[in-house]
Amino acid sequence: MSRRRIVGLFVVVWLLYLAVGVYLAADVRLYVGDSLSRVQSAQSVLFSRDPHLSAIGFIFTPLTAIIQLPLTALTPLFPAMTTSALSAAVMSSAFMAGSVIQVSGIARDRGLSPAISIAVTACYAINPMIIFYAANGMSEAPYLFFLAWAVRRGMRWVDTDDVHDLVTTGMALGFAYLTRYDGAAAALGAGLLVATVSYRRPDRTDRVMRALLDVALVALPAFVAFVIWALTSWLITGNLFAQFTSEYGNSSIIAESGGSGSDTATSALQFSIVELTILAPLFPLLLVIVLALRQRRHRLYPLLAPLPLIGGVLLFQIYSYSKGSTFGFLRFYMTVVLLAAIIALLAVPARRVAPRRRLGRHAQIPPVVTGHRRQIRALTAIAIVTMVVAIPVTAYGMTSPKYAPQEFALQSIVMPNPDAVDKKTLDAQRVVRSFSTERSIAEYLDSLNLPEGSVLCDTVYGFAVIAQSARPKQFVIPSDQDFTEILNDPAAHDVQYMLAVPRSGRGESDALNIRFPTLYENGAQVSVLILEARNQGADLPNWRIYRVSPAADLLGGGSVN
């Protein structure tokens, strides 16, 4: 395939994903919380009342929000980039299209026939989970792209010993870590792969030092990203790993939400198996077949790239959920879709050697195996069936509130039934309405034409209000360097309104509730209630807007340090 055709394929797939993203964000207004939170982080860097780079936050790794900064900068010209979270849709659709190109690239590297190349790539591209996470602005899209890129170049390196492929694999894994924390599991898997392959090369001269050098090349980018991000977080926030130790981090969210949903390790393992089955029902069978055939041909090395890298990520997720340190979201397992596509492409023998810039000293270029046509056709059929069957199974699994709590509401969009009154449909409609109440609050506050720093708000839940506001400078938020000072005495700093949520669940970590424990109930003697908004979304709090009293009595709570 020529470079022009590759670019054309990327543009077509990207525009299709983007069209779905624009529809969901601007028309349906369906948002996933983490995506909207990153939009608000990028907005704070550029357009808050105290803009600075560290406002990007340290709960999530930074790459996804950083990539959105140029798009967020267009907000004065195109307000929907922020208020409708279009910057997130543009970002995720482009990266997911890139992951499709990488899957297609693996087929091109191996010189596979159009039958299996087009079928596997197309099935990956139109998988319902791939489409949804290409459109909704979440970090899954760039994460899958970087994993696919790393695996592709790792597969090349196994045969060619080309240092360019090894370095590129390391770079991709470094970016993967800066996209999601579990990128560290992929980097660990890559290190084990490289150590094994390098050590077992036929040339036994200095093989220990050679293996250590190769491991350093592939692992150093991720290690540097890990160290720099942790130290930066510690210098600015005092937390090395805010995702795990901060009151805004994942551990606190799980504790405040009543747990991860797994009662025992056994039930968590069973849950994880169901999740994997929903996403790739025939993958175990395909993997066994491919392993058996490659073992017989003594060509297991190509499998050593995808299995440790992506398999390591899946094992980490299964282990984390069994320990109750993460939620049982279907998206956390969706790397198996990428793994299934890659294994499907490895089911048939390569028809050409892997491309390379320069062969390494220890290259082991295998002979091209033609094989029996009947066997190749059978393997091609098995690989294609594996990918095709996954599409309806995944689509059906995504309608389950238990196994797909963040996706099941899509059914009410794809197949709307406004007259239905069953619990599942009503719950789905509430999910679709999530953050609509916050949008109404943002529009109400915008209509007041308030000056800068007039509204005091934490971002535990308030990120959705701030992101959807056309006037972000009116908010005083935790990333502002004077936030604590203003929080301790709102009236003295000309704050006019405070946004309050109940002091329960995640609301316990809300800075306003910590400073004024009775704020939501009675205004904490520093404000008066002017508006209450019952939330129309799922698992979101009712809001109360309090007007700060001019002569506020600060007996409502102790100061925040």
Side-chain angles (χ1 to χ4, degrees):
M1 183 182 291
S2 66
R3 184 178 298 272
R4 179 176 296 180
R5 289 184 177 180
I6 295 172
V7 172
L9 175 62
F10 170 80
V11 171
V12 169
V13 176
W14 175 41
L15 291 178
L16 290 174
Y17 288 158
L18 182 60
V20 178
V22 171
Y23 169 70
L24 292 178
D27 190 358
V28 179
R29 299 202 179 281
L30 175 65
Y31 305 112
V32 181
D34 288 354
S35 173
L36 202 56
S37 178
R38 290 184 177 94
V39 171
Q40 187 268 320
S41 295
Q43 178 197 56
S44 297
V45 171
L46 299 176
F47 299 113
S48 65
R49 56 182 288 275
D50 182 20
H52 53 283
L53 186 58
S54 63
I56 206 165
F58 294 90
I59 303 302
F60 301 115
T61 43
L63 190 61
T64 307
I66 288 175
I67 292 168
Q68 292 184 53
L69 288 178
L71 297 167
T72 304
L74 300 175
T75 299
L77 298 176
F78 304 102
M81 279 293 178
T82 298
T83 58
S84 294
L86 291 187
S87 65
V90 173
M91 178 278 301
S92 62
S93 59
F95 272 108
M96 196 65 87
S99 77
V100 173
I101 296 301
Q102 292 299 330
V103 171
S104 173
I106 292 173
R108 293 195 304 275
D109 291 347
R110 297 173 54 76
L112 302 184
S113 67
I116 189 170
S117 301
I118 295 174
V120 171
T121 302
C123 287
Y124 171 80
I126 64 174
N127 184 285
M129 282 290 286
I130 296 297
I131 294 175
F132 182 50
Y133 283 90
N136 64 13
M138 294 286 283
S139 63
E140 274 66 25
Y143 190 52
L144 286 176
F145 168 75
F146 290 125
L147 285 181
W149 187 20
V151 168
R152 181 185 177 189
R153 299 307 286 264
M155 289 172 63
R156 288 188 187 183
W157 172 82
V158 164
D159 289 335
T160 66
D161 193 34
D162 187 343
V163 69
H164 299 90
D165 289 325
L166 191 61
V167 170
T168 303
T169 300
M171 291 172 55
L173 292 171
F175 288 131
Y177 176 77
L178 291 175
T179 304
R180 290 179 59 91
Y181 284 107
D182 44 0
L188 178 60
L192 294 174
L193 157 71
V194 171
T196 301
V197 173
S198 291
Y199 187 80
R200 291 175 61 86
R201 299 282 194 196
D203 183 1
R204 296 179 177 271
T205 305
D206 295 328
R207 59 182 182 176
V208 173
M209 290 303 299
R210 182 177 68 237
L212 290 175
L213 178 60
D214 286 346
V215 169
L217 286 175
V218 78
L220 193 60
F223 178 74
V224 170
F226 171 84
V227 171
I228 291 180
W229 182 242
L231 289 178
T232 302
S233 175
W234 176 68
L235 289 172
I236 294 176
T237 69
N239 294 311
L240 277 171
F241 306 105
Q243 172 74 337
F244 308 104
T245 59
S246 168
E247 64 270 20
Y248 299 102
N250 201 52
S251 299
S252 295
I253 293 174
I254 291 174
E256 294 161 357
S257 302
S260 65
S262 58
D263 297 327
T264 64
T266 301
S267 64
L269 179 60
Q270 293 172 344
F271 183 92
S272 295
I273 291 173
V274 173
E275 298 280 72
L276 292 171
T277 303
I278 288 173
L279 294 168
L282 297 182
F283 171 67
L285 175 62
L286 176 67
L287 181 60
V288 169
I289 293 173
V290 173
L291 281 170
L293 289 173
R294 288 195 163 273
Q295 175 65 33
R296 191 167 64 184
R297 295 202 306 261
H298 304 288
R299 281 289 293 154
L300 285 174
Y301 267 8
L303 286 174
L304 290 183
L307 286 180
L309 269 70
I310 303 176
V313 171
L314 290 170
L315 289 175
F316 176 78
Q317 169 57 31
I318 294 170
Y319 175 79
S320 298
Y321 185 61
S322 70
K323 293 297 183 180
S325 58
T326 189
F327 289 105
F329 293 151
L330 187 62
R331 62 185 174 93
F332 289 161
Y333 300 87
M334 66 181 291
T335 49
V336 75
V337 179
L338 174 62
L339 180 59
I342 295 172
I343 300 301
L345 293 175
L346 289 170
V348 298
R351 300 200 302 184
R352 72 177 184 191
V353 298
R356 69 277 185 185
R357 280 193 176 186
R358 184 182 64 202
L359 286 177
R361 290 177 54 191
H362 307 286
Q364 294 174 275
I365 302 299
V368 176
V369 179
T370 56
H372 299 290
R373 290 186 177 181
R374 184 176 298 177
Q375 183 187 57
I376 292 176
R377 287 174 182 169
L379 292 172
T380 299
I382 292 172
I384 293 174
V385 168
T386 299
M387 296 300 295
V388 170
V389 168
I391 295 174
V393 173
T394 299
Y396 179 76
M398 289 172 67
T399 65
S400 168
K402 177 180 179 180
Y403 294 107
Q406 295 184 305
E407 296 85 16
F408 82 98
L410 288 171
Q411 184 178 16
S412 67
I413 299 173
V414 177
M415 295 182 292
N417 185 8
D419 298 325
V421 294
D422 59 286
K423 183 179 185 302
K424 179 180 177 181
T425 300
L426 295 178
D427 287 345
Q429 292 171 351
R430 282 184 63 84
V431 172
V432 173
R433 293 195 301 268
S434 293
F435 307 115
S436 60
T437 300
E438 286 75 9
R439 184 177 187 84
S440 297
I441 292 173
E443 292 173 346
Y444 168 75
L445 294 172
D446 289 350
S447 69
L448 299 179
N449 294 315
L450 299 170
E452 289 187 17
S454 296
V455 183
L456 186 60
C457 177
D458 199 348
T459 52
V460 172
Y461 286 112
F463 67 88
V465 177
I466 301 162
Q468 297 180 95
S469 169
R471 299 169 60 88
K473 291 182 182 296
Q474 67 186 317
F475 297 97
V476 180
I477 56 178
S479 62
D480 295 342
Q481 297 181 47
D482 57 356
F483 175 76
T484 300
E485 179 184 352
I486 295 176
L487 176 63
N488 282 326
D489 195 351
H493 292 86
D494 299 321
V495 172
Q496 297 184 37
Y497 298 96
M498 293 193 290
L499 302 187
V501 296
R503 192 166 175 257
S504 60
R506 291 188 62 194
E508 292 182 358
S509 63
D510 187 287
L512 276 70
N513 282 333
I514 295 174
R515 173 63 180 89
F516 304 107
T518 61
L519 176 64
Y520 186 81
E521 287 75 17
N522 55 32
Q525 303 180 30
V526 299
S527 57
V528 294
L529 180 66
I530 64 166
L531 181 67
E532 181 169 9
R534 296 189 61 83
N535 212 303
Q536 301 300 307
D539 301 320
L540 292 168
N542 297 327
W543 289 88
R544 288 181 179 176
I545 302 179
Y546 283 92
R547 184 175 183 88
V548 177
S549 303
D553 179 3
L554 293 182
L555 295 178
S559 64
V560 174
N561 297 316

